[in-house]
Amino acid sequence: MFEKLKRLLGAADERVSDDALSHQTMTGETLDQEIDAIRQTMVVDPSRLRGGDSDESDADDRFGKQGSSQPGGSKTRASSRSKATPKRTPLYRPVLRPPMAFLSALDDGSIKESEVYRLRGGVVVIGREQGDVTFPHEVLMSSKHAQLECRRHRGGYQWHFVDLDSRNGSFFRVQQAYLRNTQEFLIGGHRFAFRMPTPDGRFEDATGTQVPPNPNDARATQLVADVKVSLPKLVYRDPKGPEQTFTLESTHIVIGSDPATSALSISDPYVCPNHLQLHHTPRGWLIEDLSSRNGVWLRLHDVKLDQITEFQLGEQRFYFRPPAARKI
């Protein structure tokens, strides 16, 4: 095919002396078309395109497979063929300003449909009447309930949630967490408060199961069967009912809507048959969601938002998606 190309170019040169117009026509249209047609028929083995010297390529042509018998020959070809594909170039992202995050206010009874707010740094206030994102119909939300802050952190940026001392608190969905004294959590429409007794058997609200102190018998030895133990309790209520108390008399408690399998059964359409469990460990009482549909929500005040997070203010649920961690 190279000989054909030479003949074609030679024919073009001969036409120059005979007819200049014919030469222009050949080189401007016909010659280019013919050369392109020849190139289309030139099939090249990609493995031969190694970017080396022409002498080395010619040697491979002459020796064929015998070239692999030379010391290091096959290793060189194998290493060149195994080179990884170049890493894909990512899409452009700003590096000097705070990256954008997303806040979704979920529609009632939905986990997908929502109103999305784009957060572009600084401070974003959420409230019933005041703030950047407001919900006038949300009667359990404070006028200025909470704020999202974008703070500088280790050469980059970090989003934080801060409750603005709201009356009804801010609750975050958790899979499991250790409960501290007076910690509150939500399941369905029920709000619980975890109460631990003090060493002298008293509760902060002066109610619950207590060990009566006896200062005159502080050093007396007693039988184990006669020792009374202070037990923690849960104080809870439904939105329209009276406050109730449940004493944790076992190291493992299941709470749900099924009285047959739950130590504490709750009549609530949004509570699963086995919704959560409380388990006593050497580190304290652990609350754990038992794969419930509507989740377990823990009251928190200041939270670092470094991953996808769900939280609830009043009866409004939110979904926060942070930007990818980036440094400037």
Side-chain angles (χ1 to χ4, degrees), residues 50-226:
R50 301 187 297 175
D53 296 333
S54 58
D55 293 342
E56 184 179 353
S57 300
D58 294 341
D60 288 340
D61 290 339
R62 290 193 302 269
F63 291 104
K65 295 183 179 180
Q66 295 178 4
S68 62
S69 63
Q70 298 180 1
S74 60
K75 182 177 181 181
T76 302
R77 285 194 293 273
S79 61
S80 64
R81 295 172 185 172
S82 62
K83 289 182 179 179
T85 303
K87 186 177 180 180
R88 184 180 182 184
T89 302
L91 293 176
Y92 171 78
R93 289 176 179 268
V95 295
L96 298 179
R97 63 162 174 78
M100 185 169 58
F102 298 87
L103 176 68
S104 299
L106 297 179
D107 291 351
D108 297 345
S110 174
I111 59 176
K112 296 182 179 179
E113 301 297 328
S114 63
E115 185 174 1
V116 180
Y117 303 87
R118 287 170 169 80
L119 311 182
R120 294 180 169 87
V123 176
V124 178
V125 177
I126 306 173
R128 187 183 72 252
E129 298 174 346
Q130 303 180 50
D132 305 287
V133 182
T134 58
F135 299 85
H137 67 297
E138 187 56 63
V139 295
L140 299 181
M141 189 182 293
S142 296
S143 179
K144 290 179 65 175
H145 197 106
Q147 67 184 25
L148 302 172
E149 303 176 358
C150 187
R151 306 173 184 172
R152 293 296 299 268
H153 178 71
R154 295 182 180 179
Y157 295 91
Q158 174 68 64
W159 282 91
H160 286 258
F161 176 98
V162 180
D163 185 272
L164 299 177
D165 297 323
S166 63
R167 181 175 185 179
N168 291 311
S170 304
F171 292 82
F172 287 75
R173 188 167 189 168
V174 297
Q175 178 58 38
Q176 60 179 19
Y178 282 98
L179 295 175
R180 65 175 188 273
N181 188 31
T182 72
Q183 184 86 59
E184 294 184 357
F185 61 91
L186 291 173
I187 62 170
H190 286 70
R191 178 185 295 232
F192 291 78
F194 178 74
R195 296 282 190 266
M196 281 291 295
T198 60
D200 63 357
R202 299 181 182 276
F203 289 87
E204 290 188 355
D205 56 2
T207 61
T209 305
Q210 302 180 17
V211 176
N214 185 356
N216 298 324
D217 196 23
R219 294 179 296 173
T221 302
Q222 303 180 19
L223 295 176
V224 173
D226 295 334

Side-chain angles (χ1 to χ4, degrees), residues 239-316:
K240 300 179 181 180
E243 184 175 276
Q244 302 178 62
T245 300
F246 178 81
T247 301
L248 305 181
E249 298 179 346
S250 173
T251 58
H252 184 268
I253 300 294
V254 174
I255 301 176
S257 60
D258 186 357
T261 58
S262 301
L264 173 57
S265 60
I266 303 296
S267 178
D268 189 322
Y270 305 118
V271 173
C272 292
N274 294 320
H275 199 103
L276 67 85
Q277 66 179 5
L278 292 171
H279 180 65
H280 185 263
T281 73
R283 292 184 55 187
W285 283 89
L286 180 71
I287 186 172
E288 183 176 3
D289 188 351
L290 297 178
S291 301
S292 65
R293 184 175 190 185
N294 292 310
V296 176
W297 305 75
L298 198 66
R299 184 171 183 172
L300 299 172
H301 185 271
D302 193 320
V303 180
K304 181 172 65 174
L305 302 175
D306 56 357
Q307 59 184 347
I308 293 176
T309 305
E310 295 180 77
F311 61 91
Q312 179 172 330
L313 310 181
E315 292 184 301
Q316 178 62 53

Side-chain angles (χ1 to χ4, degrees), residues 1-16 20-40 42:
M1 66 181 65
F2 289 103
E3 293 298 329
K4 182 178 180 181
L5 182 59
K6 289 180 180 180
R7 291 195 301 271
L8 186 61
L9 293 174
D13 292 337
E14 293 175 359
R15 288 189 179 92
V16 171
L21 181 60
S22 176
H23 167 73
Q24 292 177 359
T25 304
M26 185 63 176
T27 56
E29 297 181 3
T30 309
L31 183 60
D32 289 343
Q33 294 174 0
E34 291 289 343
I35 293 175
D36 288 340
I38 293 174
R39 285 172 176 168
Q40 295 296 325
M42 295 171 61

